[in-house]
Amino acid sequence: FLPLLAGMGFDELSMSSSAIPGVKHALRELNFAQCQQLAQNTLALTRSSNVKTALKNPSVKATSKKAIIAPEFILFHLDVADKNEAIKQMTDNLWLHHRTDSRERLCDDIWTREDSFSTAVGYGFAIPHTKSDHITDSTISMATLAQPITWGDQQVETVFMLTVSKSAAPNEHMKYFSTLARKLMKEDFRHEIKNADSVDVLYNLMTRTLDV
């Protein structure tokens, strides 16, 4: 009922405290004009069964394309004990910024790939990746680690995580993976990452590298 209530103009909702984070998350994804249209259409219906059908899968989500990388997806000096914790914190961050509705399932998709083969690529870098139904907008996340962690049979200090939507172009997944893998072969690029002293420096470097 949330899109309907928003479209009808309700600006205060009563609920248990445990429901607040999920409702806030859902509200941020709504297109208000489409919610208003949904409310108008629903009020014209005369049968409860028709109202239930109209509210089952309403087209009220914002459709604007979001940037594939942003400063909020760069975690600087992340303090984690192992790769399980690194992947969890990075997927949690995607959930906090409304890129996934199910961080657990997204994490499972990443581990499906990771369990098949380690995504450590050498030189202290890893690139875990997945193409998933549980990422709403394709995102490249990055984490520089406070201390190296074991990743497969390698030590890793920097993690790039590629989470690509199933609705993305067929080659989008590997396009970014290949670009990063090629750049990591270059010593000057690795040096820039390892010597970056802020999120802003890393963000500007990544936008230039990926041409986004």
Side-chain angles (χ1 to χ4, degrees):
F1 292 99
L2 188 63
L4 177 63
L5 296 174
M8 292 173 68
F10 283 83
D11 57 9
E12 292 186 12
L13 300 171
S14 178
M15 67 195 73
S16 64
S17 59
S18 61
I20 292 174
V23 171
K24 288 176 68 175
H25 177 83
L27 277 171
R28 291 191 183 100
E29 296 296 311
L30 297 179
N31 180 301
F32 183 58
Q34 292 177 354
C35 288
Q36 288 181 309
Q37 187 63 53
L38 173 70
Q40 292 175 13
N41 294 343
T42 303
L43 289 171
L45 300 174
T46 58
R47 298 178 64 86
S48 61
S49 59
N50 293 337
V51 172
K52 290 177 181 178
T53 299
L55 297 181
K56 190 173 183 180
N57 291 298
S59 299
V60 292
K61 285 198 173 184
T63 56
S64 57
K65 187 176 181 181
K66 298 178 182 178
I68 195 165
I69 190 166
E72 57 263 33
F73 302 118
I74 299 175
L75 305 178
F76 192 66
H77 280 190
L78 184 65
D79 189 12
V80 294
D82 53 36
K83 72 175 183 177
N84 181 65
E85 192 175 348
I87 290 172
K88 183 181 185 303
Q89 289 207 33
M90 293 175 82
T91 51
D92 282 352
N93 189 55
L94 287 168
W95 182 81
L96 287 171
H97 290 95
H98 320 298
R99 293 293 175 103
T100 177
D101 292 325
S102 179
R103 49 186 163 178
E104 294 84 4
R105 291 182 179 179
L106 178 62
C107 200
D108 287 344
D109 286 345
I110 292 167
W111 274 105
T112 296
R113 174 80 62 169
E114 193 67 37
D115 287 340
S116 299
F117 59 89
S118 172
T119 55
V121 294
Y123 305 106
F125 292 86
I127 314 179
H129 53 282
T130 186
K131 193 168 188 179
S132 173
D133 285 322
H134 305 295
I135 189 78
T136 53
D137 297 273
S138 297
T139 308
I140 298 175
S141 305
M142 180 180 182
T144 62
L145 307 183
Q147 61 277 325
I149 60 174
T150 301
W151 202 290
D153 59 355
Q154 301 182 36
Q155 291 292 294
V156 164
E157 300 171 332
T158 305
V159 181
F160 297 103
M161 190 167 77
L162 313 185
T163 46
V164 177
S165 170
K166 278 283 181 70
S167 62
N171 65 341
E172 184 171 336
H173 187 187
M174 294 311 299
K175 178 179 74 173
Y176 291 115
F177 183 94
S178 298
T179 299
L180 284 171
R182 285 197 304 271
K183 291 294 289 186
L184 289 172
M185 296 296 291
K186 298 182 178 180
E187 186 176 358
D188 56 345
F189 179 71
R190 302 195 302 269
H191 181 79
E192 284 186 89
I193 290 176
K194 291 182 179 182
N195 287 278
D197 58 5
S198 71
V199 167
D200 287 341
V201 171
L202 288 168
Y203 173 68
N204 290 332
L205 173 62
M206 293 306 297
T207 53
R208 293 197 311 270
T209 300
L210 300 169
D211 192 25
V212 293

